[in-house]
Amino acid sequence: MAILRPLDLKMQPAPYDARMKVISRTLELLDKYKPQKTDSKTTAVHWEYEVARHSASKQSYIFNASLLLRDIVRYKGNLNKSGKYESPKVQISKESVLAKLKELLLDEKQLKEGGYILGPGVGGENNASSKSDNGLRECARCSQKFEELNIMVPTSCQFHPSRQQYNKGTRSYHYPCCGEDGVSVTPYSLGCKTLEQHVYRQETYEDMSKTIEFRHTKDFVGDSNVLGLDCEMAYTSYGYELIRLTVVDFWTKKALFDEIVQPLGEIIDLNSQFSGVHEIDRATSLTFEDARKIFLGPKMINTNSILIGHGLENDLNILRIIHDKIIDTAILYPNGKFKSSLKNLAFQELSRKIQTGEHDSSEDAIASMDIIKSKLGIPLDRDIW
């Protein structure tokens, strides 16, 4: 007689308790209908195992388990002649997926609250300008005030490259980069890294438009598509600029655009630790305008595109794009009052480790899309429709 517990898998799609509930409910139904000549406990354990084996995430497990229980009731336990349960091949059409994706689109209120800029003076209220009335900028790394005109003049910018994190065990904050708590009197309390320039980010529509004008996708009518995208940025003499863009097709996972893009300003910091970009060859890399002629248009990002990403307001701002068909995993999966990191979300929803070293915009774009696919019960390896 089988032991009533889940069979082990290399990658568990759901917690032990959740799997036990499915086994118990399966056994309850089998005892009710008594269809099998084999032991009901053995059947319940193995049928649940097949469900777990064919599930790539917690969401797909819940979905597949619901199909198992539905079929047991529908066929009174007689699922097939062999007495074995085969995970159903659910027919998911492109049309049905599109309908589900449209249900996940952020409405105007959510876009505004999420910091998305929808036009001049519309949206982006959460972002305050880094420029004061007297022409000073606030450094995005150390928070000191400095003259924008003197941005390339050597100075001392001391900061922590990592954001503070909260430790529930010690109930205190610390910087992962060096372990400092930010309130000590050590030489590193203000920062464990020192560079020679201050840097800043443009945060408002007006400020960002001074270097590159925004374009609205309503001016570009084209193919209906679903795209995952992610950008990598750097600090330059012009503020915060695009240096890499990856656009991936939702249906095939093929990269439609993955290029290094040269910034307009003089490079101060490529953020290589996070961006993964170590150098930019201005002789061979695309200019921003040349790149935008490719990624913004009828064949790629246009008014009919559904864009998927994590914290996409930052990416669209850096691309100077206004768009309203957005699925943002940072908003769909909040972490209390804060936004979840993509790294934690990918591990939580996909059991996938990402950003273990330098960031990769391609890896991040695919992770955001896969989180949505998992939510909708779409097999992550499906690339033919």
Side-chain angles (χ1 to χ4, degrees):
M1 183 177 290
I3 299 175
L4 201 65
R5 67 172 181 80
L7 298 178
D8 292 334
L9 285 167
K10 186 175 181 180
M11 294 294 291
Q12 300 290 344
Y16 179 88
D17 290 346
R19 295 188 63 188
M20 273 303 302
K21 286 181 181 179
V22 173
I23 291 176
S24 299
R25 179 57 180 159
T26 302
L27 178 60
E28 181 183 333
L29 292 173
L30 290 175
D31 285 342
K32 175 181 178 180
Y33 295 113
K34 297 181 171 56
Q36 307 294 340
K37 295 180 180 179
T38 56
D39 176 60
S40 293
K41 287 187 177 180
T42 300
T43 303
V45 169
H46 282 278
W47 283 5
E48 187 280 335
Y49 172 75
E50 287 301 312
V51 168
R53 191 165 67 89
H54 289 88
S55 301
S57 67
K58 183 178 179 181
Q59 282 70 28
S60 60
Y61 174 80
I62 293 172
F63 179 74
N64 291 333
S66 68
L67 294 179
L68 166 64
L69 300 176
R70 179 205 65 185
D71 288 347
I72 293 175
V73 173
R74 177 181 293 177
Y75 302 111
K76 300 186 184 305
N78 294 294
L79 299 187
N80 55 40
K81 294 179 180 179
S82 66
K84 295 180 180 178
Y85 178 71
E86 296 178 358
S87 186
K89 303 297 186 294
V90 183
Q91 296 300 319
I92 305 176
S93 67
K94 208 170 186 179
E95 291 72 23
S96 65
V97 172
L98 274 172
K100 291 181 179 179
L101 288 172
K102 288 177 181 178
E103 293 176 0
L104 298 178
L105 293 176
L106 302 178
D107 58 31
E108 185 174 347
K109 180 181 179 182
Q110 290 173 312
L111 289 170
K112 288 181 179 179
E113 291 177 348
Y116 283 86
I117 290 176
L118 304 180
V122 182
E125 288 90 346
N126 294 341
N127 296 323
S129 176
S130 64
K131 192 171 185 178
S132 60
D133 294 336
N134 58 5
L136 293 177
R137 291 281 186 180
E138 181 178 299
C139 180
R141 296 189 296 210
C142 71
S143 299
Q144 288 189 45
K145 300 286 186 179
F146 69 97
E147 288 279 355
E148 182 180 346
L149 293 175
N150 296 330
I151 191 169
M152 299 307 296
V153 176
T155 184
S156 178
C157 178
Q158 186 178 359
F159 63 100
H160 292 286
S162 299
R163 294 181 180 178
Q164 272 191 328
Q165 291 185 0
Y166 183 71
N167 187 314
K168 293 182 179 179
T170 61
R171 296 184 179 181
S172 62
Y173 288 91
H174 74 286
Y175 290 96
C177 48
C178 61
E180 282 287 334
D181 58 14
V183 296
S184 66
V185 292
T186 67
Y188 300 112
S189 60
L190 297 179
C192 57
K193 188 171 184 178
T194 302
L195 294 179
E196 291 188 345
Q197 269 91 28
H198 291 307
V199 295
Y200 70 92
R201 299 188 185 193
Q202 305 99 319
E203 302 286 1
T204 65
Y205 175 93
E206 291 74 19
D207 203 9
M208 285 184 275
S209 296
K210 291 176 181 178
T211 51
I212 302 173
E213 288 292 331
F214 275 85
R215 302 296 300 273
H216 202 302
T217 55
K218 68 181 181 182
D219 297 328
F220 300 89
V221 180
D223 302 335
S224 295
N225 52 27
V226 184
L227 307 172
L229 68 85
D230 188 75
C231 298
E232 302 297 347
M233 299 82 150
Y235 289 114
T236 77
S237 57
Y238 283 7
Y240 204 46
E241 294 195 67
L242 174 73
I243 54 173
R244 181 183 175 185
L245 168 65
T246 302
V247 180
V248 182
D249 179 63
F250 178 83
W251 309 107
T252 64
K253 282 192 178 181
K254 290 182 179 178
L256 305 180
F257 186 94
D258 189 11
E259 297 285 346
I260 299 294
V261 179
Q262 55 178 294
L264 276 68
E266 188 176 345
I267 296 171
I268 295 175
D269 187 357
L270 287 174
N271 285 321
S272 300
Q273 178 184 352
F274 303 106
S275 69
V277 179
H278 291 265
E279 61 179 346
I280 294 179
D281 187 344
R282 291 189 180 271
T284 59
S285 59
L286 292 169
T287 65
F288 182 89
E289 285 304 324
D290 287 341
R292 189 154 68 170
K293 289 176 183 177
I294 301 172
F295 66 72
L296 183 61
K299 296 297 182 182
M300 204 172 297
I301 301 175
N302 66 81
T303 190
N304 295 312
S305 300
I306 292 177
L307 302 182
I308 300 174
H310 190 85
L312 265 181
E313 76 279 5
N314 298 311
D315 301 274
L316 296 189
N317 285 348
I318 216 73
L319 294 173
R320 302 297 195 273
I321 291 177
I322 297 174
H323 190 68
D324 59 1
K325 296 180 179 66
I326 302 293
I327 298 176
D328 192 332
T329 50
I331 295 176
L332 288 179
Y333 293 85
N335 181 19
K337 297 180 181 179
F338 306 97
K339 291 182 178 180
S340 299
S341 70
L342 181 59
K343 180 177 182 177
N344 291 340
L345 198 55
F347 187 76
Q348 172 187 315
E349 301 299 322
L350 307 173
S351 297
R352 180 184 302 172
K353 291 183 178 181
I354 65 171
Q355 301 175 0
T356 54
E358 297 173 349
H359 291 200
D360 183 327
S361 54
S362 178
E363 179 183 59
D364 291 355
I366 291 173
S368 295
M369 291 194 307
D370 282 352
I371 289 169
I372 297 302
K373 288 180 180 179
S374 175
K375 181 179 181 66
L376 299 181
I378 302 171
L380 300 185
D381 59 352
R382 180 170 180 177
D383 56 10
I384 299 175
W385 296 81

